[in-house]
PDB file of all heavy atoms in Angstrom:
ATOM      1  N   ARG L 246     101.465 103.320 124.878  1.00 94.00           N
ATOM      2  CA  ARG L 246     102.810 103.425 124.311  1.00 94.00           C
ATOM      3  C   ARG L 246     102.826 103.030 122.844  1.00 94.00           C
ATOM      4  O   ARG L 246     103.482 103.667 122.026  1.00 94.00           O
ATOM      5  CB  ARG L 246     103.763 102.496 125.064  1.00 94.00           C
ATOM      6  CG  ARG L 246     104.316 103.151 126.293  1.00 94.00           C
ATOM      7  CD  ARG L 246     105.559 102.421 126.716  1.00 94.00           C
ATOM      8  NE  ARG L 246     105.660 102.468 128.168  1.00 94.00           N
ATOM      9  CZ  ARG L 246     106.595 101.828 128.857  1.00 94.00           C
ATOM     10  NH1 ARG L 246     107.481 101.076 128.224  1.00 94.00           N
ATOM     11  NH2 ARG L 246     106.629 101.911 130.143  1.00 94.00           N
ATOM     12  N   TRP L 247     102.096 101.945 122.556  1.00 95.00           N
ATOM     13  CA  TRP L 247     102.093 101.472 121.163  1.00 95.00           C
ATOM     14  C   TRP L 247     101.432 102.487 120.240  1.00 95.00           C
ATOM     15  O   TRP L 247     101.833 102.635 119.089  1.00 95.00           O
ATOM     16  CB  TRP L 247     101.397 100.106 121.072  1.00 95.00           C
ATOM     17  CG  TRP L 247     102.198  99.021 121.734  1.00 95.00           C
ATOM     18  CD1 TRP L 247     103.545  99.048 121.989  1.00 95.00           C
ATOM     19  CD2 TRP L 247     101.727  97.777 122.241  1.00 95.00           C
ATOM     20  NE1 TRP L 247     103.935  97.887 122.612  1.00 95.00           N
ATOM     21  CE2 TRP L 247     102.838  97.085 122.784  1.00 95.00           C
ATOM     22  CE3 TRP L 247     100.473  97.149 122.276  1.00 95.00           C
ATOM     23  CZ2 TRP L 247     102.727  95.824 123.359  1.00 95.00           C
ATOM     24  CZ3 TRP L 247     100.358  95.902 122.845  1.00 95.00           C
ATOM     25  CH2 TRP L 247     101.481  95.244 123.392  1.00 95.00           C
ATOM     26  N   GLN L 248     100.403 103.187 120.724  1.00 94.00           N
ATOM     27  CA  GLN L 248      99.740 104.181 119.877  1.00 94.00           C
ATOM     28  C   GLN L 248     100.697 105.321 119.549  1.00 94.00           C
ATOM     29  O   GLN L 248     100.579 105.965 118.517  1.00 94.00           O
ATOM     30  CB  GLN L 248      98.492 104.778 120.548  1.00 94.00           C
ATOM     31  CG  GLN L 248      97.405 103.772 120.900  1.00 94.00           C
ATOM     32  CD  GLN L 248      97.285 102.648 119.925  1.00 94.00           C
ATOM     33  OE1 GLN L 248      97.084 102.861 118.732  1.00 94.00           O
ATOM     34  NE2 GLN L 248      97.442 101.410 120.397  1.00 94.00           N
ATOM     35  N   GLN L 249     101.644 105.579 120.468  1.00 93.00           N
ATOM     36  CA  GLN L 249     102.538 106.708 120.254  1.00 93.00           C
ATOM     37  C   GLN L 249     103.624 106.424 119.230  1.00 93.00           C
ATOM     38  O   GLN L 249     104.323 107.328 118.811  1.00 93.00           O
ATOM     39  CB  GLN L 249     103.179 107.129 121.582  1.00 93.00           C
ATOM     40  CG  GLN L 249     102.230 108.008 122.389  1.00 93.00           C
ATOM     41  CD  GLN L 249     102.544 107.985 123.862  1.00 93.00           C
ATOM     42  OE1 GLN L 249     103.679 107.677 124.239  1.00 93.00           O
ATOM     43  NE2 GLN L 249     101.549 108.266 124.681  1.00 93.00           N
ATOM     44  N   ASP L 250     103.765 105.165 118.856  1.00 91.00           N
ATOM     45  CA  ASP L 250     104.804 104.841 117.885  1.00 91.00           C
ATOM     46  C   ASP L 250     104.192 104.148 116.663  1.00 91.00           C
ATOM     47  O   ASP L 250     104.144 102.926 116.590  1.00 91.00           O
ATOM     48  CB  ASP L 250     105.861 103.929 118.525  1.00 91.00           C
ATOM     49  CG  ASP L 250     107.022 103.687 117.582  1.00 91.00           C
ATOM     50  OD1 ASP L 250     106.983 104.195 116.435  1.00 91.00           O
ATOM     51  OD2 ASP L 250     107.961 102.982 117.980  1.00 91.00           O
ATOM     52  N   PRO L 251     103.720 104.935 115.684  1.00 86.00           N
ATOM     53  CA  PRO L 251     103.036 104.322 114.542  1.00 86.00           C
ATOM     54  C   PRO L 251     103.968 103.508 113.644  1.00 86.00           C
ATOM     55  O   PRO L 251     103.504 102.736 112.815  1.00 86.00           O
ATOM     56  CB  PRO L 251     102.449 105.521 113.787  1.00 86.00           C
ATOM     57  CG  PRO L 251     103.155 106.719 114.296  1.00 86.00           C
ATOM     58  CD  PRO L 251     103.756 106.394 115.618  1.00 86.00           C
ATOM     59  N   SER L 252     105.271 103.670 113.825  1.00 90.00           N
ATOM     60  CA  SER L 252     106.176 102.933 112.932  1.00 90.00           C
ATOM     61  C   SER L 252     106.504 101.535 113.456  1.00 90.00           C
ATOM     62  O   SER L 252     107.240 100.785 112.834  1.00 90.00           O
ATOM     63  CB  SER L 252     107.480 103.724 112.787  1.00 90.00           C
ATOM     64  OG  SER L 252     108.171 103.710 114.027  1.00 90.00           O
ATOM     65  N   LEU L 253     105.906 101.194 114.594  1.00 90.00           N
ATOM     66  CA  LEU L 253     106.264  99.965 115.303  1.00 90.00           C
ATOM     67  C   LEU L 253     106.187  98.700 114.449  1.00 90.00           C
ATOM     68  O   LEU L 253     107.072  97.865 114.473  1.00 90.00           O
ATOM     69  CB  LEU L 253     105.315  99.825 116.508  1.00 90.00           C
ATOM     70  CG  LEU L 253     105.823  99.116 117.735  1.00 90.00           C
ATOM     71  CD1 LEU L 253     107.187  99.657 118.142  1.00 90.00           C
ATOM     72  CD2 LEU L 253     104.825  99.316 118.870  1.00 90.00           C
ATOM     73  N   TYR L 254     105.106  98.589 113.683  1.00 94.00           N
ATOM     74  CA  TYR L 254     104.890  97.336 112.957  1.00 94.00           C
ATOM     75  C   TYR L 254     105.034  97.526 111.448  1.00 94.00           C
ATOM     76  O   TYR L 254     104.466  96.778 110.675  1.00 94.00           O
ATOM     77  CB  TYR L 254     103.507  96.781 113.286  1.00 94.00           C
ATOM     78  CG  TYR L 254     103.242  96.672 114.765  1.00 94.00           C
ATOM     79  CD1 TYR L 254     102.160  97.327 115.355  1.00 94.00           C
ATOM     80  CD2 TYR L 254     104.071  95.905 115.579  1.00 94.00           C
ATOM     81  CE1 TYR L 254     101.915  97.226 116.710  1.00 94.00           C
ATOM     82  CE2 TYR L 254     103.842  95.811 116.944  1.00 94.00           C
ATOM     83  CZ  TYR L 254     102.764  96.478 117.503  1.00 94.00           C
ATOM     84  OH  TYR L 254     102.519  96.375 118.850  1.00 94.00           O
ATOM     85  N   ARG L 255     105.767  98.552 111.049  1.00 95.00           N
ATOM     86  CA  ARG L 255     105.886  98.815 109.618  1.00 95.00           C
ATOM     87  C   ARG L 255     106.818  97.827 108.945  1.00 95.00           C
ATOM     88  O   ARG L 255     107.894  97.529 109.449  1.00 95.00           O
ATOM     89  CB  ARG L 255     106.418 100.233 109.389  1.00 95.00           C
ATOM     90  CG  ARG L 255     105.316 101.237 109.659  1.00 95.00           C
ATOM     91  CD  ARG L 255     105.491 102.498 108.861  1.00 95.00           C
ATOM     92  NE  ARG L 255     104.422 103.408 109.282  1.00 95.00           N
ATOM     93  CZ  ARG L 255     104.548 104.716 109.395  1.00 95.00           C
ATOM     94  NH1 ARG L 255     105.711 105.275 109.088  1.00 95.00           N
ATOM     95  NH2 ARG L 255     103.540 105.458 109.785  1.00 95.00           N
ATOM     96  N   ALA L 256     106.373  97.378 107.783  1.00 96.00           N
ATOM     97  CA  ALA L 256     107.237  96.537 106.971  1.00 96.00           C
ATOM     98  C   ALA L 256     108.267  97.434 106.297  1.00 96.00           C
ATOM     99  O   ALA L 256     107.973  98.570 105.954  1.00 96.00           O
ATOM    100  CB  ALA L 256     106.408  95.816 105.920  1.00 96.00           C
ATOM    101  N   GLU L 257     109.474  96.910 106.126  1.00 93.00           N
ATOM    102  CA  GLU L 257     110.507  97.686 105.459  1.00 93.00           C
ATOM    103  C   GLU L 257     110.356  97.530 103.947  1.00 93.00           C
ATOM    104  O   GLU L 257     110.194  96.417 103.468  1.00 93.00           O
ATOM    105  CB  GLU L 257     111.890  97.196 105.890  1.00 93.00           C
ATOM    106  CG  GLU L 257     112.117  97.328 107.387  1.00 93.00           C
ATOM    107  CD  GLU L 257     113.236  96.416 107.892  1.00 93.00           C
ATOM    108  OE1 GLU L 257     114.226  96.232 107.157  1.00 93.00           O
ATOM    109  OE2 GLU L 257     113.101  95.898 109.014  1.00 93.00           O
ATOM    110  N   PRO L 258     110.406  98.650 103.184  1.00 91.00           N
ATOM    111  CA  PRO L 258     110.228  98.553 101.725  1.00 91.00           C
ATOM    112  C   PRO L 258     111.297  97.668 101.086  1.00 91.00           C
ATOM    113  O   PRO L 258     111.014  96.891 100.201  1.00 91.00           O
ATOM    114  CB  PRO L 258     110.368  99.987 101.238  1.00 91.00           C
ATOM    115  CG  PRO L 258     110.203 100.852 102.438  1.00 91.00           C
ATOM    116  CD  PRO L 258     110.598 100.041 103.625  1.00 91.00           C
ATOM    117  N   TRP L 297     108.837  87.988 113.056  1.00 96.00           N
ATOM    118  CA  TRP L 297     109.659  89.151 113.399  1.00 96.00           C
ATOM    119  C   TRP L 297     110.812  88.736 114.313  1.00 96.00           C
ATOM    120  O   TRP L 297     111.965  89.103 114.112  1.00 96.00           O
ATOM    121  CB  TRP L 297     108.810  90.203 114.122  1.00 96.00           C
ATOM    122  CG  TRP L 297     108.307  91.305 113.259  1.00 96.00           C
ATOM    123  CD1 TRP L 297     109.040  92.085 112.408  1.00 96.00           C
ATOM    124  CD2 TRP L 297     106.952  91.784 113.155  1.00 96.00           C
ATOM    125  NE1 TRP L 297     108.222  93.009 111.789  1.00 96.00           N
ATOM    126  CE2 TRP L 297     106.949  92.858 112.230  1.00 96.00           C
ATOM    127  CE3 TRP L 297     105.744  91.423 113.764  1.00 96.00           C
ATOM    128  CZ2 TRP L 297     105.776  93.556 111.896  1.00 96.00           C
ATOM    129  CZ3 TRP L 297     104.599  92.125 113.436  1.00 96.00           C
ATOM    130  CH2 TRP L 297     104.616  93.171 112.509  1.00 96.00           C
ATOM    131  N   ASN L 302     111.602  90.270 107.562  1.00 97.00           N
ATOM    132  CA  ASN L 302     110.929  91.519 107.222  1.00 97.00           C
ATOM    133  C   ASN L 302     109.474  91.152 106.980  1.00 97.00           C
ATOM    134  O   ASN L 302     109.133  90.596 105.948  1.00 97.00           O
ATOM    135  CB  ASN L 302     111.564  92.126 105.971  1.00 97.00           C
ATOM    136  CG  ASN L 302     110.907  93.433 105.573  1.00 97.00           C
ATOM    137  OD1 ASN L 302     110.284  94.099 106.409  1.00 97.00           O
ATOM    138  ND2 ASN L 302     111.043  93.802 104.306  1.00 97.00           N
ATOM    139  N   VAL L 303     108.637  91.447 107.964  1.00 97.00           N
ATOM    140  CA  VAL L 303     107.264  90.940 107.952  1.00 97.00           C
ATOM    141  C   VAL L 303     106.306  92.005 107.420  1.00 97.00           C
ATOM    142  O   VAL L 303     106.358  93.159 107.840  1.00 97.00           O
ATOM    143  CB  VAL L 303     106.837  90.528 109.380  1.00 97.00           C
ATOM    144  CG1 VAL L 303     105.376  90.101 109.412  1.00 97.00           C
ATOM    145  CG2 VAL L 303     107.725  89.402 109.893  1.00 97.00           C
ATOM    146  N   ALA L 348      99.338  93.476 115.744  1.00 97.00           N
ATOM    147  CA  ALA L 348     100.471  94.233 115.224  1.00 97.00           C
ATOM    148  C   ALA L 348     100.334  94.454 113.724  1.00 97.00           C
ATOM    149  O   ALA L 348     100.956  93.775 112.916  1.00 97.00           O
ATOM    150  CB  ALA L 348     101.769  93.483 115.536  1.00 97.00           C
ATOM    151  N   TYR L 349      99.501  95.426 113.332  1.00 97.00           N
ATOM    152  CA  TYR L 349      99.297  95.697 111.923  1.00 97.00           C
ATOM    153  C   TYR L 349     100.077  96.930 111.488  1.00 97.00           C
ATOM    154  O   TYR L 349     100.241  97.873 112.252  1.00 97.00           O
ATOM    155  CB  TYR L 349      97.813  95.915 111.622  1.00 97.00           C
ATOM    156  CG  TYR L 349      96.976  94.684 111.837  1.00 97.00           C
ATOM    157  CD1 TYR L 349      95.883  94.711 112.699  1.00 97.00           C
ATOM    158  CD2 TYR L 349      97.285  93.494 111.201  1.00 97.00           C
ATOM    159  CE1 TYR L 349      95.120  93.575 112.910  1.00 97.00           C
ATOM    160  CE2 TYR L 349      96.538  92.353 111.405  1.00 97.00           C
ATOM    161  CZ  TYR L 349      95.441  92.398 112.265  1.00 97.00           C
ATOM    162  OH  TYR L 349      94.702  91.283 112.482  1.00 97.00           O
ATOM    163  N   ASP L 350     100.462  96.890 110.221  1.00 97.00           N
ATOM    164  CA  ASP L 350     101.101  98.044 109.607  1.00 97.00           C
ATOM    165  C   ASP L 350      99.989  98.936 109.051  1.00 97.00           C
ATOM    166  O   ASP L 350      99.571  98.796 107.904  1.00 97.00           O
ATOM    167  CB  ASP L 350     102.019  97.564 108.481  1.00 97.00           C
ATOM    168  CG  ASP L 350     102.742  98.713 107.801  1.00 97.00           C
ATOM    169  OD1 ASP L 350     102.375  99.881 108.070  1.00 97.00           O
ATOM    170  OD2 ASP L 350     103.668  98.438 107.023  1.00 97.00           O
ATOM    171  N   TRP L 351      99.490  99.843 109.905  1.00 97.00           N
ATOM    172  CA  TRP L 351      98.337 100.658 109.502  1.00 97.00           C
ATOM    173  C   TRP L 351      98.687 101.671 108.419  1.00 97.00           C
ATOM    174  O   TRP L 351      97.794 102.268 107.823  1.00 97.00           O
ATOM    175  CB  TRP L 351      97.739 101.362 110.724  1.00 97.00           C
ATOM    176  CG  TRP L 351      97.027 100.420 111.637  1.00 97.00           C
ATOM    177  CD1 TRP L 351      97.426 100.006 112.880  1.00 97.00           C
ATOM    178  CD2 TRP L 351      95.783  99.742 111.384  1.00 97.00           C
ATOM    179  NE1 TRP L 351      96.512  99.119 113.406  1.00 97.00           N
ATOM    180  CE2 TRP L 351      95.497  98.934 112.510  1.00 97.00           C
ATOM    181  CE3 TRP L 351      94.884  99.725 110.306  1.00 97.00           C
ATOM    182  CZ2 TRP L 351      94.362  98.129 112.604  1.00 97.00           C
ATOM    183  CZ3 TRP L 351      93.750  98.926 110.393  1.00 97.00           C
ATOM    184  CH2 TRP L 351      93.504  98.141 111.529  1.00 97.00           C
ATOM    185  N   SER L 352      99.971 101.868 108.143  1.00 97.00           N
ATOM    186  CA  SER L 352     100.305 102.815 107.079  1.00 97.00           C
ATOM    187  C   SER L 352      99.873 102.260 105.722  1.00 97.00           C
ATOM    188  O   SER L 352      99.860 102.976 104.733  1.00 97.00           O
ATOM    189  CB  SER L 352     101.815 103.098 107.074  1.00 97.00           C
ATOM    190  OG  SER L 352     102.527 101.973 106.595  1.00 97.00           O
ATOM    191  N   ARG L 353      99.523 100.987 105.680  1.00 97.00           N
ATOM    192  CA  ARG L 353      99.119 100.370 104.415  1.00 97.00           C
ATOM    193  C   ARG L 353      97.637 100.028 104.384  1.00 97.00           C
ATOM    194  O   ARG L 353      97.181  99.290 103.508  1.00 97.00           O
ATOM    195  CB  ARG L 353      99.911  99.072 104.210  1.00 97.00           C
ATOM    196  CG  ARG L 353     101.394  99.300 104.057  1.00 97.00           C
ATOM    197  CD  ARG L 353     102.149  97.989 104.219  1.00 97.00           C
ATOM    198  NE  ARG L 353     103.586  98.204 104.152  1.00 97.00           N
ATOM    199  CZ  ARG L 353     104.279  98.115 103.009  1.00 97.00           C
ATOM    200  NH1 ARG L 353     103.685  97.820 101.889  1.00 97.00           N
ATOM    201  NH2 ARG L 353     105.578  98.326 103.024  1.00 97.00           N
ATOM    202  N   ASN L 985     113.460  96.311 122.103  1.00 86.00           N
ATOM    203  CA  ASN L 985     112.105  96.052 121.633  1.00 86.00           C
ATOM    204  C   ASN L 985     111.880  94.532 121.572  1.00 86.00           C
ATOM    205  O   ASN L 985     112.558  93.813 120.863  1.00 86.00           O
ATOM    206  CB  ASN L 985     111.952  96.674 120.243  1.00 86.00           C
ATOM    207  CG  ASN L 985     110.578  96.421 119.655  1.00 86.00           C
ATOM    208  OD1 ASN L 985     109.737  95.764 120.265  1.00 86.00           O
ATOM    209  ND2 ASN L 985     110.362  96.954 118.466  1.00 86.00           N
ATOM    210  N   LEU L 987     109.732  92.816 120.127  1.00 90.00           N
ATOM    211  CA  LEU L 987     109.403  92.288 118.805  1.00 90.00           C
ATOM    212  C   LEU L 987     110.649  91.951 117.996  1.00 90.00           C
ATOM    213  O   LEU L 987     110.619  91.147 117.073  1.00 90.00           O
ATOM    214  CB  LEU L 987     108.589  93.349 118.060  1.00 90.00           C
ATOM    215  CG  LEU L 987     107.493  92.883 117.125  1.00 90.00           C
ATOM    216  CD1 LEU L 987     106.518  91.984 117.835  1.00 90.00           C
ATOM    217  CD2 LEU L 987     106.802  94.085 116.529  1.00 90.00           C
ATOM    218  N   ARG L 988     111.751  92.630 118.341  1.00 89.00           N
ATOM    219  CA  ARG L 988     112.981  92.385 117.594  1.00 89.00           C
ATOM    220  C   ARG L 988     113.963  91.516 118.391  1.00 89.00           C
ATOM    221  O   ARG L 988     115.056  91.247 117.941  1.00 89.00           O
ATOM    222  CB  ARG L 988     113.668  93.715 117.241  1.00 89.00           C
ATOM    223  CG  ARG L 988     112.778  94.694 116.484  1.00 89.00           C
ATOM    224  CD  ARG L 988     112.492  94.214 115.054  1.00 89.00           C
ATOM    225  NE  ARG L 988     111.783  95.227 114.273  1.00 89.00           N
ATOM    226  CZ  ARG L 988     110.456  95.274 114.124  1.00 89.00           C
ATOM    227  NH1 ARG L 988     109.688  94.374 114.713  1.00 89.00           N
ATOM    228  NH2 ARG L 988     109.897  96.205 113.390  1.00 89.00           N
TER     229      ARG L 988
END
Side-chain angles (χ1 to χ4, degrees):
Chain L
R246 275 199 213 175
W247 291 338
Q248 300 326 303
Q249 279 157 23
D250 186 358
S252 68
L253 210 49
Y254 308 122
R255 285 208 184 144
E257 300 160 36
W297 262 309
N302 180 22
V303 175
Y349 294 124
D350 181 349
W351 288 109
S352 72
R353 296 165 183 268
N985 178 359
L987 215 55
R988 305 290 187 265

